[in-house]
Structure formats: structure tokens, C-alpha cells
Amino acid sequence: MTTPDRTRVTVEIYGTSYKLVGSNSDYMKQVANYVDERMHSISQAHSRLDMPRIAVLAAVHMAEEAVQIQEIQSHMNRLAAERRSFGEIWPNSRRL
């Protein structure tokens, strides 16, 4: 069942069709394509793995990327806070 702000789209990931519901069909297709590409990449590198293991490895790789992005974002937030506090300590300093 879809609501007015939700749309349904059928995508194919690693040879299997899935029906996804979300707010943007192009975005959902992009995400599904990314998962499909990761799974195919892993299956090419490890030809003896079965589909569940390929899916888990793809999930682990994508989770690792997400954690790395979170760490970078956290670091950037700390740098921005340091820069703000520097401006409070030396308000007349020249900004670059």
C-alpha cells in the first residue's frame, strides 16, 4: 500500500526483482544499482561464494563505507567547532 508521498518501484538486485517503496523512485533505483554492482563485484572476485555470503559481504563493505563517512563527518564537525572557538578567543583575527 502506498501513500501519496510514497512511490513503488521494482528493481533488480543480483538477478532477483524486489519491490521497494520510498519517496523518490530514481533514488531507490540508484541505491539498488549500487547494491547490485557491489554484489557482482564481490562475486567476480570470489566465484565460489553463494548468494547469501555475497549479500553479507556487500552489506559489510557498504557498512564500512558508512562508518568511515560518519568518522569523517564527526572529524569535520570537530574542526568546525575548533574554528568557531578560535574566532571567539581571537575575534579580531583575520579569517582566511
Side-chain angles (χ1 to χ4, degrees):
M1 177 177 182
T2 61
T3 60
D5 61 338
R6 308 303 261 172
T7 184
R8 181 177 296 204
V9 64
T10 301
V11 298
E12 188 171 307
I13 300 173
Y14 204 68
T16 302
S17 291
Y18 297 91
K19 291 180 182 175
L20 303 179
V21 177
S23 59
N24 184 314
S25 63
D26 289 335
Y27 177 76
M28 291 184 296
K29 288 176 184 178
Q30 182 182 2
V31 169
N33 187 52
Y34 183 69
V35 173
D36 184 64
E37 288 175 358
R38 293 304 298 246
M39 289 182 70
H40 280 285
S41 174
I42 290 168
S43 72
Q44 289 174 354
H46 305 284
S47 60
R48 294 185 180 195
L49 292 179
D50 60 1
M51 207 259 277
R53 284 186 170 83
I54 291 169
V56 168
L57 282 176
V60 168
H61 287 222
M62 289 181 285
E64 181 182 21
E65 290 173 353
V67 168
Q68 288 173 349
I69 289 168
Q70 288 173 345
E71 289 173 352
I72 291 168
Q73 186 176 22
S74 177
H75 181 71
M76 297 298 290
N77 290 340
R78 284 193 303 273
L79 289 175
E82 288 175 14
R83 184 175 178 157
R84 283 190 301 274
S85 68
F86 178 78
E88 292 170 4
I89 295 170
W90 291 290
N92 295 329
S93 65
R94 260 177 42 161
R95 300 225 180 234
L96 298 177

